[in-house]
């Protein structure tokens, strides 16, 4: 069974926006599906709330599960995890058994999901490629920008996007829109298109359009900009230039592309003038507010999905807290989707998140808003 592609399909977005009456907490602690959305009445002329019926199908735990994307090893753990906890997405890493894709085992995982499942991957080209043996290699972002036009890059990328979709991928955690002059083999390096933010914008826009036209969702990374960071967040804390400097360079591609339909991934970055000491961007309320409101870096407001970078395999987070604490902190800060790379902690994480909701630290209104953003990104229609 193939699920709805993980992309902001315009017709679905319009349907949801036109019908939405805002977030609802209806049936937030029950699994009831019979509660109807409010009806249009001739007397009042009010619009029906299409989202209320959608949200009513979930228990609180199931809503929270929709906000998790979890790395899996292969068919057994992926299918069990989706069937038992109904998580919103799975992540396929370099360690994942490729039979999930090459033998179409992912269809069994998707069949276990009540809500269309995101099947996500890091496929940037160059040295960050998980599918080169299945769909062929592609040059790095930097090499692409140096050797082909943006439209030639679009043509190459849309073909790769279609090949990814045929394998069962629905969301690509790309493009990398970091602005960087670092050596090719550094943490960002040749993953960046250029040290010129306008070049980054042009090629990242081509990639986002290509994924959309191939039927996949794209996710820009790593907000608010990793290109001039002090190191590798896999190995420890990373400090960026001050916010004012990021506004002039690193944030420019995000500002230019914030209305592109792509999601945004927030990095584990310490940003002078923005983040609180010891609280990296991925779990920082100030960073989420900057991205949502836009005004702090001259951008339009962003109401698409905010993803975290991996919360369990990167020392910039793991040296500070465990996975349950990190996921809770990220969602409470304002992220819509917490990503991590191992499947063994999902039950404990959901137990913790339910506690956060009961304690009022993670308001149900905020959870509902995130569930709806993820549904829009997946292209799920909400008919009244």
């Amino acid at each position: 069974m193939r699920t709805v592609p993980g992309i902001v399909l315009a017709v679905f977005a319009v349907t949801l926006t036109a019908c939405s009456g805002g977030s609802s907490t209806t049936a937030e602690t029950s699994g009831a599906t019979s509660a109807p959305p409010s009806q249009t009445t001739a007397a009042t002329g009010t619009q029906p709330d299409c989202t209320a019926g959608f949200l009513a199908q979930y228990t609180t735990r199931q809503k929270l599960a929709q906000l998790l994307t979890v790395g899996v090893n292969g068919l057994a753990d992926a299918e069990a995890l989706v069937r038992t906890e109904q998580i919103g997405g799975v992540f396929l890493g370099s360690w994942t058994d490729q039979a999930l894709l090459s033998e179409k085992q992912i269809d069994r995982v998707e069949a276990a999901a009540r809500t269309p499942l995101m099947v996500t991957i890091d496929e940037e080209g160059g040295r960050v490629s998980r599918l080169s043996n299945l769909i062929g290699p592609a040059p790095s972002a930097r090499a692409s920008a140096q050797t082909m036009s943006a439209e030639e890059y679009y043509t190459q990328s849309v073909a790769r996007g279609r090949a990814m979709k045929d394998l069962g991928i629905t969301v690509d955690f790309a493009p990398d829109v970091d602005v960087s002059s670092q050596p090719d083999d550094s943490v960002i390096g040749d993953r960046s298109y250029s040290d010129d933010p306008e070049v980054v914008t042009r090629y990242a826009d081509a990639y986002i359009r290509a994924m959309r036209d191939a039927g996949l969702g794209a996710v820009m990374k790593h907000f608010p900009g990793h290109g001039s960071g002090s190191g590798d967040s896999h190995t420890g804390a990373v400090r960026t230039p001050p916010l004012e400097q990021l506004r002039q360079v690193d944030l420019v591609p995000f500002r230019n592309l914030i209305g592109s339909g792509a999601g945004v991934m927030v990095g584990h970055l310490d940003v002078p003038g923005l983040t609180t000491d010891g609280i990296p961007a991925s779990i920082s309320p100030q960073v989420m507010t900057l991205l949502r409101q836009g005004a702090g870096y001259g951008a339009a407001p962003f109401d698409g999905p905010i993803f975290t970078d991996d919360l369990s395999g990167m020392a910039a987070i793991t040296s500070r807290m465990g996975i349950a604490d990190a996921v809770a902190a990220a969602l409470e800060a304002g992220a819509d989707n917490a990503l991590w790379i191992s499947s063994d902690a999902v039950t404990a994480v959901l137990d913790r998140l339910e506690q956060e909701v009961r304690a009022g630290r993670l308001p149900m209104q905020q959870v509902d808003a995130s569930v709806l953003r993820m549904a829009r990104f997946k292209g799920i229609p909400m008919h009244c």
Side-chain angles (χ1 to χ4, degrees):
M1 181 182 75
R2 180 69 59 233
T3 59
V4 179
I7 182 171
V8 185
L9 299 177
V11 63
F12 292 155
V14 168
T15 299
L16 178 57
T17 301
C19 296
S20 174
S23 298
S24 168
T25 57
T26 303
E28 64 195 30
T29 56
S30 76
T33 58
S34 58
S38 53
Q39 302 295 312
T40 301
T41 65
T44 64
T46 58
Q47 290 296 315
D49 181 358
C50 300
T51 65
F54 178 79
L55 291 167
Q57 70 183 297
Y58 298 107
T59 65
T60 294
R61 189 178 184 90
Q62 289 166 345
K63 289 178 180 179
L64 293 165
Q66 285 298 300
L67 312 184
L68 308 180
T69 298
V70 182
V72 295
N73 297 316
L75 176 61
D77 70 327
E79 186 176 13
L81 192 57
V82 172
R83 191 175 303 281
T84 58
E85 295 289 10
Q86 290 296 317
I87 58 171
V90 294
F91 176 72
L92 311 185
S94 57
W95 65 89
T96 305
D97 182 358
Q98 286 199 332
L100 269 175
L101 301 178
S102 62
E103 298 178 14
K104 299 295 184 182
Q105 294 175 359
I106 197 65
D107 292 354
R108 288 177 55 183
V109 182
E110 291 175 326
R114 291 178 54 216
T115 302
L117 182 74
M118 284 193 308
V119 181
T120 71
I121 202 162
D122 280 330
E123 184 61 38
E124 301 174 17
R127 59 194 162 104
V128 181
S129 177
R130 312 296 179 229
L131 300 174
S132 57
N133 62 320
L134 296 179
I135 66 173
S140 69
R142 182 172 289 171
S144 296
Q146 291 173 343
T147 60
M148 63 183 87
S149 70
E151 284 308 304
E152 288 170 337
Y153 182 59
Y154 164 85
T155 300
Q156 171 193 278
S157 299
V158 77
R160 290 179 65 78
R162 288 170 179 156
M164 283 190 270
K165 184 182 179 184
D166 288 344
L167 289 173
I169 302 299
T170 68
V171 174
D172 187 11
F173 289 134
D176 188 319
V177 302
D178 295 315
V179 181
S180 185
S181 59
Q182 294 175 342
D184 283 356
D185 60 355
S186 61
V187 58
I188 299 300
D190 64 357
R191 299 169 64 189
S192 168
Y193 294 104
S194 175
D195 60 0
D196 181 341
E198 297 305 328
V199 172
V200 172
T201 296
R202 191 159 61 250
Y203 282 83
D205 173 69
Y207 195 86
I208 293 166
R209 287 189 290 111
M211 293 303 104
R212 179 192 64 215
D213 292 348
L216 274 71
V219 178
M220 302 184 285
K221 58 190 184 187
H222 305 82
F223 190 88
H226 203 317
S228 299
S230 62
D232 185 348
S233 52
H234 291 86
T235 59
V238 175
R239 189 176 182 86
T240 73
L243 176 60
E244 185 54 41
Q245 185 173 332
L246 296 185
R247 288 190 183 106
Q248 304 304 315
V249 180
D250 301 74
L251 282 163
V252 171
F254 290 102
R255 181 166 65 235
N256 291 341
L257 297 169
I258 205 65
S260 66
V264 175
M265 178 179 286
V266 179
H268 307 313
L269 305 167
D270 296 323
V271 184
L274 179 61
T275 58
T276 302
D277 286 346
I279 307 295
S282 54
I283 59 172
S284 167
Q286 294 93 334
V287 171
M288 305 302 172
T289 298
L290 179 74
L291 178 51
R292 281 279 175 240
Q293 295 182 353
Y297 70 109
F302 179 64
D303 196 37
I306 298 176
F307 294 82
T308 71
D309 206 342
D310 167 32
L311 294 168
S312 70
M314 304 177 78
I317 287 287
T318 59
S319 64
R320 291 162 162 158
M321 63 188 69
I323 183 59
D325 288 341
V327 173
L331 296 185
E332 288 167 21
D336 298 300
N337 196 280
L339 167 69
W340 77 96
I341 61 173
S342 60
S343 58
D344 54 357
V346 172
T347 296
V349 165
L350 284 169
D351 289 345
R352 170 64 181 278
L353 292 176
E354 285 188 298
Q355 293 174 8
E356 299 301 293
V357 170
R358 287 193 294 269
R361 290 184 291 269
L362 183 56
M364 276 308 308
Q365 184 178 9
Q366 182 175 329
V367 172
D368 285 350
S370 290
V371 171
L372 293 174
R373 287 190 190 101
M374 296 313 303
R376 291 187 190 103
F377 191 63
K378 292 179 181 183
I380 300 173
M382 299 183 194
H383 300 301
C384 295

